[in-house]
Amino acid sequence: MPALEMEEAESASAGLRLAGQDEQEGPSATGDRLRRAPTWAIIVNNVAFMAVPRSIPACFAATGWGIGLAALAYSSVVTYDTGMVLGEVHSLRPSLSSYPALCGEAFAHRAARRGAPRHVAQWWRTIAARTCLCVQFATYYLTTVAELIYFEQFFGQVFEDSPLCQWQWLLVAAVVSIPLLQLPTFHETRWAALVVGVMPLVLNVSVMFYEVALVRPWDCTPGPSYDGGGERDAAGILLGLSAFSYAFGGHGFYPEEMREMRTPSKWPTVMHWTYGLVLPLYWACGVLGYYAYGDYSLANINLNFPKNKANLLSIAVQLVQEIYFIVSTNLVLNLSMELALGIDPVACCAPAAAPAPGRTTAATADLSRDLSYPVSVPGTVDPQVGLGGKGGGEAGSGNGEETGLRVAAAGGA
């Protein structure tokens, strides 16, 4: 903290904006009205979006035990630390309530420390903020596209006999998602995060432990292998490492979440609870899943399970869970656009208030944009095809026994 306070003093001497001086993004403009979220609301949003413990075995399958354990340990420590750093920055400069604002100020500060005049520092602030906004937009757009594809894949797995094809399931997924997309802030999404995010997570992890205990794949013949079949290469390892990084996503929400916290000084509590709940799941599911299924571990680990009622229930619950993922990835962008367009995201939360037409239109248009790519490009099946993907590339095909169940089905297990 002293180092950050020294940076604050240097920024002041360089003529950079301090906390509360940003006319457009400062607390005086939006922060006071948005600061309504209790601490637990931010915790459940973090856990609901970040926690994907059942994908960790597939990461190990791509990297092997040694690199995988090192990557998991490294990510566990570094991402926790960077989350805490973001909290310290926000406590000093609450006006920096988004990643573009943080990026812009960082580049302006760097220019000022190198002796650049104020107008040059301002130029760097503007360019960096706009560039970061474009990258953020592209990232969340692709994330939402991926979640929509996962959504339609789960539909295909649950309703295997349905005549609907991929693009038709995508339209169904969009229609189902539109009502929750009207939730304007992280404060309003807290119950959605709890009901369609955290509760399904608990059930899915329980199903995983049940299925592993039921089959005991390590007792099958042939049993799981861990050598990559002699085909593990640098490209596959890099893919596994990128998947580990993906598993620790969610930091892109942190500045906006802190902007909404009723008591932002409790951000360390949010981090403690988030990582205290998620990390044990990552380590338990990752180690157990890879030990059980070895190199046959799929990112959609349901394809490793027998086709029984528990497995079907887990897939159906994940289908519901995808609604939250779609909502959360769009929320940051919707908030950014609404604030820029002068749409008050809090106004529709007043008693007896209906969703604002502007916000409904913006949210629906945002989702329509996300649908444009997977609907228009034939064969868009699996965003994580290298790891088997959440849908395993086989949603609705009914051939799980031939691939994901190679180990579990061996020897009639």
Side-chain angles (χ1 to χ4, degrees):
M1 184 69 73
L4 287 174
E5 291 173 349
M6 185 177 298
E7 294 285 316
E8 183 82 20
E10 292 176 355
S11 295
S13 64
L16 300 182
R17 283 183 294 224
L18 301 180
Q21 291 181 340
D22 189 322
E23 294 180 359
Q24 293 183 345
E25 294 191 0
S28 60
T30 59
D32 290 341
R33 287 180 57 77
L34 288 173
R35 289 202 185 280
R36 300 172 300 127
T39 303
W40 73 267
I42 305 302
I43 294 172
V44 295
N45 272 287
N46 279 352
V47 173
F49 183 80
M50 172 184 172
V52 285
R54 304 185 326 146
S55 69
I56 302 299
C59 300
F60 277 115
T63 61
W65 278 119
I67 296 177
L69 289 171
L72 184 57
Y74 176 82
S75 299
S76 299
V77 174
V78 170
T79 58
Y80 174 82
D81 182 63
T82 53
M84 294 294 289
V85 169
L86 286 172
E88 292 181 12
V89 171
H90 182 80
S91 68
L92 290 174
R93 301 191 183 186
S95 62
L96 304 179
S97 57
S98 68
Y99 256 106
L102 284 168
C103 185
E105 196 67 14
F107 274 82
H109 179 75
R110 182 175 181 273
R113 291 192 65 179
R114 292 185 169 215
R118 177 173 296 205
H119 74 277
V120 174
Q122 177 60 36
W123 183 86
W124 277 107
R125 175 185 290 113
T126 302
I127 294 298
R130 290 177 179 176
T131 302
C132 183
L133 181 62
C134 291
V135 172
Q136 187 183 53
F137 184 93
T139 301
Y140 286 141
Y141 165 73
L142 293 174
T143 301
T144 305
V145 168
E147 299 301 345
L148 283 167
I149 295 174
Y150 298 149
F151 202 170
E152 63 86 12
Q153 287 181 344
F154 289 136
F155 268 123
Q157 286 181 281
V158 174
F159 304 103
E160 290 184 349
D161 298 327
S162 172
L164 297 183
C165 59
Q166 176 183 339
W167 72 269
Q168 292 168 323
W169 279 126
L170 281 170
L171 295 180
V172 172
V175 172
V176 172
S177 304
I178 286 176
L180 278 184
L181 281 171
Q182 309 314 311
L183 296 174
T185 67
F186 285 103
H187 176 63
E188 275 69 40
T189 60
R190 65 194 188 281
W191 293 111
L194 180 62
V195 175
V196 301
V198 176
M199 293 174 64
L201 170 67
V202 174
L203 186 144
N204 285 326
V205 170
S206 301
V207 168
M208 176 181 174
F209 282 103
Y210 166 76
E211 297 287 7
V212 171
L214 178 68
V215 176
R216 299 175 64 86
W218 50 82
D219 290 336
C220 297
T221 304
S225 62
Y226 311 102
D227 60 358
E231 299 179 355
R232 187 176 286 130
D233 55 14
I237 292 174
L238 288 175
L239 178 65
L241 293 175
S242 67
F244 271 116
S245 300
Y246 178 82
F248 285 86
H251 281 54
F253 297 163
Y254 287 179
E256 286 81 1
E257 287 180 332
M258 284 183 269
R259 177 179 63 193
E260 292 191 26
M261 288 186 68
R262 188 181 301 160
T263 312
S265 61
K266 291 186 177 180
W267 179 253
T269 301
V270 172
M271 291 297 299
H272 298 337
W273 275 97
T274 299
Y275 276 71
L277 292 171
V278 172
L279 289 187
L281 295 179
Y282 276 18
W283 283 89
C285 292
V287 172
L288 175 64
Y290 187 50
Y291 177 74
Y293 301 108
D295 297 327
Y296 291 123
S297 302
L298 298 177
N300 176 9
I301 203 166
N302 288 86
L303 291 173
N304 287 106
F305 301 157
K307 297 183 70 174
N308 53 27
K309 292 181 179 179
N311 191 8
L312 182 61
L313 174 63
S314 175
I315 296 171
V317 166
Q318 288 177 81
L319 192 154
V320 175
Q321 198 173 11
E322 284 298 328
I323 299 176
Y324 174 77
F325 294 144
I326 293 171
V327 170
S328 58
T329 51
N330 275 279
L331 182 57
V332 172
L333 295 181
N334 286 341
L335 275 170
S336 177
M337 290 188 294
E338 288 165 5
L339 294 174
L341 295 172
I343 300 174
D344 187 352
V346 182
C348 64
C349 304
R359 127 155 291 280
T360 302
T361 302
T364 305
D366 207 25
L367 183 61
S368 300
R369 177 211 66 215
D370 298 330
L371 280 170
S372 61
Y373 179 76
V375 169
S376 61
V377 179
T380 305
V381 175
D382 204 328
Q384 283 189 327
V385 67
L387 288 179
K390 284 187 179 179
E394 304 179 56
S397 63
N399 62 347
E401 296 90 347
E402 298 174 9
T403 53
L405 302 181
R406 293 172 193 166
V407 175

